[in-house]
Amino acid sequence: MRHSATLCWLVFGALMLLNPATAAADSCTDLMSAQIAGATITAATDVPAGSFTSPQQVGLPPVEFDVPAFCRVQLTLAPAIVTEVWLPAAWNGNFAGWGNGGELGGIIYTLLGYGVIEGYAGVASDLGHESYSADASWALNQHGLITEFGYSATHDMTVAAKSLVQIYYGTTPGHSYFYGASAGGRQALMEAERYPTDYNGVIAVSPGQNWSNLASGMIGEELKLGGSGSSPSQLTDSQALTLNRAVIAACDALDGVRDGLITDPTRCHFDPGVLTCPDQNTALNCLSAAQVSAVRALYQPVTRSDGTVVYGGLPYGSEYEWFCSVLHDAFNFPFADSWYQNEVYSNPDWDFTTFNADVDPARAAIRLGETDNASSPDLDLFRAAGGRLLITQGQSDAIVVPQNTITYYETLLARYKDRAKTFTRLLMEPGVGHCGQGPGPDSWDPFAAMVNWVENGVAPDSIIAYRFGKNGQVNMSRPLCPWPKQPVYSGHGDINRAKSFSCRKPPE
């Protein structure tokens, strides 16, 4: 899998227990008669090698990609969790579960496709509803659906799929892996926390793990921008790019090399006031006083009145992707507003301008923290079961801000101290955002890194990531380092090649 920055959640009945020595099914269509408690199999189809086109889904248009031959099983888990299990003809003996994104109720078929290409039997579901990634209207007064989204659907699909694997191949999977990004990363952490024996390896990419604080932070961002997509405090996309260039120019060299990347945004202290327009006529290459004030506020965390941080500020260097996240109600605000209206307050007319950082985040955590927040550092059972957890996070992410992920990882380090390195790593990605753009090297394979760790005992202590040019050639490579280490330039050699860097704790 070439990872790009671009881019669940009580079982309804005990699933059928099968003897590991059970003979394999004679054919894919035989699975139509498989008896799995709580599941209705609606189709079992042999898919030949060649081009596969996914079905149209709400929020997910069809995609076409090549696949090897596999058995496609479509099933519904009680009460209405649409699920697919893909069983490759050339099975590698292992299993993969795949996550979702945002409030999305839909299957990400490209992940299932990657799995069968690599030989994995895999599963994915719609988490029990259909929706766009920023739309939580499906959850209004629907506690059961919220629980499915929060944690139960991911576990249910895993158990059902493993039963089908055993029926089809006549044996259980050797190793099981889960991959999820963004909201899928939250699913990943919830699996490790609640269901520690479901997966041997769990990969959480840019995980929105503290869901209530994340949504609260996004409401705070909107208020800082004037509370409207058309507020005079809003920046144009061109102004955001001008701001990004100025930030990079000011802070690029803080890591000892001028390479177009800000390795550690927390060391940057750029003041957007230097871009203030000389008069009241806002231009593309400068900012009005209202815009400067808003930008300064966006870089700061959302806090309670006593200074306690609710959610981190936007990282310096993320401005290039504000167009698809923060500005003009692109994603962050409609996502957070819909969650608060439909899930926290069960009131579609809730007015976000009444948001109070001293009150609303705490209410949200009380009402939904148990189902939606995957932020407990207690992974004792996962660690005892031999599980491995790999977390990755872009340093230029304007949707799941990096400090959110670092704060969670610090709770793991505080709990496990030196024992943490026996089962978990956090890899920070300089210059990588959430929407698939940016200057940083975002192409690497976290799935392969996890497999190497679980099956060969090789921990991901330095993974090489790549950035490809338009011609398909590598124009930058860089080691991804286990936090708090960072890639530090050796002082000689090509600054665009990983071999010129080593993973070290940066100088103070």
Side-chain angles (χ1 to χ4, degrees), residues 41-305:
I41 297 175
T42 57
T45 310
D46 280 307
V47 177
S51 179
F52 176 86
T53 301
S54 67
Q56 174 71 51
Q57 301 178 92
V58 174
L60 288 172
V63 290
E64 184 178 356
F65 50 90
D66 290 335
V67 294
F70 69 97
C71 171
R72 179 188 181 192
V73 184
Q74 297 163 268
L75 62 157
T76 301
L77 304 178
I81 305 168
V82 175
T83 304
E84 292 209 16
V85 179
W86 288 18
L87 306 167
W91 184 40
N92 66 12
N94 294 325
F95 175 80
W98 305 104
N100 304 70
E103 294 282 348
L104 182 67
I107 293 171
I108 303 179
Y109 282 90
T110 50
L111 292 176
L112 283 168
Y114 166 80
V116 294
I117 289 170
E118 297 296 322
Y120 290 89
V123 64
S125 85
D126 70 354
L127 301 179
H129 68 276
E130 288 185 302
S131 73
Y132 292 96
S133 60
D135 177 19
S137 61
W138 57 270
L140 182 64
N141 298 318
Q142 297 291 332
H143 180 73
L145 292 182
I146 292 172
T147 300
E148 290 169 10
F149 172 81
Y151 56 87
S152 67
T154 306
H155 174 64
D156 291 353
M157 77 173 192
T158 300
V159 178
K162 287 185 178 182
S163 294
L164 283 168
V165 166
Q166 191 166 5
I167 293 171
Y168 189 64
Y169 297 113
T171 189
T172 55
H175 296 94
S176 298
Y177 302 95
F178 188 90
Y179 173 95
S182 191
R186 186 196 69 83
Q187 286 174 265
L189 294 175
M190 195 68 89
E191 274 292 301
E193 181 181 321
R194 283 182 171 267
Y195 306 104
T197 61
D198 275 1
Y199 294 95
N200 305 103
V202 170
I203 306 156
V205 176
S206 299
Q209 41 81 25
N210 195 324
W211 207 247
S212 58
N213 280 7
L214 180 147
S216 298
M218 291 174 172
I219 295 291
E221 291 164 1
E222 181 72 4
L223 294 172
K224 291 173 181 179
L225 283 165
S228 167
S230 58
S231 165
S233 297
Q234 291 273 358
L235 279 66
T236 66
D237 295 348
S238 295
Q239 287 176 312
L241 292 177
T242 295
L243 175 62
N244 178 249
R245 288 190 290 268
V247 170
I248 297 297
C251 297
D252 179 8
L254 292 175
D255 56 8
V257 60
R258 190 168 290 280
D259 56 359
L261 303 181
I262 299 177
T263 299
D264 183 359
T266 64
R267 300 179 66 188
C268 181
H269 302 288
F270 172 80
D271 180 11
V274 300
L275 295 177
T276 302
C277 296
D279 53 40
Q280 296 301 313
N281 296 316
T282 304
L284 295 180
N285 60 349
C286 64
L287 305 177
S288 70
Q291 291 172 323
V292 168
S293 179
V295 170
R296 283 174 176 157
L298 287 172
Y299 289 134
Q300 299 304 309
V302 173
T303 63
R304 299 203 300 252
S305 57

Side-chain angles (χ1 to χ4, degrees), residues 18 86 89 92 107 150 287 326 401 409 447 458 498:
L18 299 170
W86 288 18
N92 66 12
I107 293 171
L287 305 177
V326 182
V401 299
Y409 194 71
F447 203 89
V458 180

Side-chain angles (χ1 to χ4, degrees), residues 255-259 263 462-466 475-481 486-504:
D255 56 8
V257 60
R258 190 168 290 280
D259 56 359
T263 299
S462 180
I463 301 295
I464 306 302
Y466 302 90
N475 57 25
M476 177 183 280
S477 61
R478 188 63 50 85
L480 303 180
C481 305
Q486 296 175 4
V488 176
Y489 183 53
S490 65
H492 57 273
D494 189 340
I495 64 172
N496 289 315
R497 293 295 174 261
K499 65 183 180 180
S500 302
F501 294 78
S502 61
C503 291
R504 305 200 303 268

Side-chain angles (χ1 to χ4, degrees), residues 188-501:
L189 294 175
M190 195 68 89
E191 274 292 301
E193 181 181 321
R194 283 182 171 267
Y195 306 104
T197 61
D198 275 1
Y199 294 95
N200 305 103
V202 170
I203 306 156
V205 176
S206 299
Q209 41 81 25
N210 195 324
W211 207 247
S212 58
N213 280 7
L214 180 147
S216 298
M218 291 174 172
I219 295 291
E221 291 164 1
E222 181 72 4
L223 294 172
K224 291 173 181 179
L225 283 165
S228 167
S230 58
S231 165
S233 297
Q234 291 273 358
L235 279 66
T236 66
D237 295 348
S238 295
Q239 287 176 312
L241 292 177
T242 295
L243 175 62
N244 178 249
R245 288 190 290 268
V247 170
I248 297 297
C251 297
D252 179 8
L254 292 175
D255 56 8
V257 60
R258 190 168 290 280
D259 56 359
L261 303 181
I262 299 177
T263 299
D264 183 359
T266 64
R267 300 179 66 188
C268 181
H269 302 288
F270 172 80
D271 180 11
V274 300
L275 295 177
T276 302
C277 296
D279 53 40
Q280 296 301 313
N281 296 316
T282 304
L284 295 180
N285 60 349
C286 64
L287 305 177
S288 70
Q291 291 172 323
V292 168
S293 179
V295 170
R296 283 174 176 157
L298 287 172
Y299 289 134
Q300 299 304 309
V302 173
T303 63
R304 299 203 300 252
S305 57
D306 64 0
T308 301
V309 173
V310 173
Y311 196 67
L314 296 179
Y316 291 99
S318 67
E319 304 80 14
Y320 67 87
E321 72 165 13
W322 286 8
F323 80 96
C324 66
S325 54
V326 182
L327 300 177
H328 307 291
D329 302 345
F331 175 80
N332 291 14
F333 170 67
F335 159 80
D337 190 41
S338 186
W339 184 77
Y340 258 100
Q341 288 179 331
N342 293 285
E343 298 193 48
V344 178
Y345 290 121
S346 300
N347 176 12
D349 295 322
W350 177 75
D351 183 357
F352 77 94
T353 63
T354 67
F355 177 83
N356 184 330
D358 287 336
V359 176
D360 293 293
R363 285 178 178 171
I366 290 170
R367 296 178 183 182
L368 290 166
E370 184 68 18
T371 54
D372 284 6
N373 290 350
S375 51
S376 171
D378 184 357
L379 299 181
D380 291 2
L381 296 179
F382 180 73
R383 177 175 174 269
R388 298 291 183 265
L389 172 62
L390 175 60
I391 307 171
T392 75
Q393 173 66 55
Q395 286 278 31
S396 298
D397 195 329
I399 294 180
V400 177
V401 299
Q403 191 57 51
N404 181 62
T405 301
I406 291 171
T407 297
Y408 169 71
Y409 194 71
E410 285 177 334
T411 67
L412 294 181
L413 296 183
R415 182 180 182 88
Y416 296 104
K417 299 180 173 58
D418 287 345
R419 295 172 297 161
K421 64 185 179 183
T422 65
F423 77 101
T424 186
R425 294 290 190 281
L426 167 61
L427 303 183
M428 302 299 292
E429 302 169 288
V432 174
H434 204 91
C435 302
Q437 298 188 36
D442 65 357
S443 293
W444 62 289
D445 195 338
F447 203 89
M450 175 57 78
V451 170
N452 199 27
W453 194 7
V454 169
E455 299 183 23
N456 301 317
V458 180
D461 287 327
S462 180
I463 301 295
I464 306 302
Y466 302 90
R467 186 182 70 198
F468 292 87
K470 294 180 179 179
N471 60 1
Q473 298 297 309
V474 174
N475 57 25
M476 177 183 280
S477 61
R478 188 63 50 85
L480 303 180
C481 305
W483 193 89
K485 292 181 179 179
Q486 296 175 4
V488 176
Y489 183 53
S490 65
H492 57 273
D494 189 340
I495 64 172
N496 289 315
R497 293 295 174 261
K499 65 183 180 180
S500 302
F501 294 78

